[in-house]
Amino acid sequence: MLLKVFGIIDLIAGLILILGLTLSNNILIVFGVILLAKSFLGVLSDLGSWIDFLSGIVFLLLILINIPFIITILLGILIIQKGISSLL
């Protein structure tokens, strides 16, 4: 059950990154903290944890600076792929 919730969070975060939605800072902080917490659950031992870690950092940096769109698209694709695999 928890794996499916994490998969849904990954799908939503990936869509936010791919679509380049302009959201409030609070939502970006919440997604950034959730992804960072998920990455530390895996103790950064596998590729999925590193993808969560980098995406969480990008979500938090989107508040301060403008990240190139290609980076957000690539991370969004990776997170969506990870979310789909955790839902299967």
Side-chain angles (χ1 to χ4, degrees), residues 13 21 25-26 28 31 34-35 40 45 47-49 51 53 58 64 71-72 78 83-84:
L21 299 175
N25 290 344
N26 293 336
L28 293 175
F31 273 104
I34 288 172
L35 290 172
F40 289 120
S45 61
L47 182 62
S49 294
I51 292 171
F53 181 74
V58 165
L64 302 173
I71 293 174
T72 59
L78 289 173
I84 290 173

Side-chain angles (χ1 to χ4, degrees), residues 12 20 24 28 32 38 40 50 59 62-64 67-68 79 81 83 86-87:
I12 294 170
S24 72
L28 293 175
K38 278 179 48 182
F40 289 120
W50 281 102
F59 267 104
L62 279 172
I63 297 168
L64 302 173
I67 307 259
I79 285 200
Q81 179 184 6
S86 66
L87 287 176

Side-chain angles (χ1 to χ4, degrees), residues 4-73:
K4 302 239 185 255
V5 172
F6 284 160
I8 292 170
I9 290 172
D10 284 342
L11 287 175
I12 294 170
L15 286 174
I16 290 171
L17 287 175
I18 286 178
L19 297 176
L21 299 175
T22 306
L23 300 172
S24 72
N25 290 344
N26 293 336
I27 294 173
L28 293 175
I29 290 171
V30 166
F31 273 104
V33 169
I34 288 172
L35 290 172
L36 285 175
K38 278 179 48 182
S39 70
F40 289 120
L41 285 176
V43 194
L44 298 175
S45 61
D46 60 346
L47 182 62
S49 294
W50 281 102
I51 292 171
D52 281 340
F53 181 74
L54 291 175
S55 299
I57 295 294
V58 165
F59 267 104
L60 294 176
L61 285 177
L62 279 172
I63 297 168
L64 302 173
I65 62 174
N66 199 6
I67 307 259
F69 193 58
I70 189 71
I71 293 174
T72 59
I73 286 178

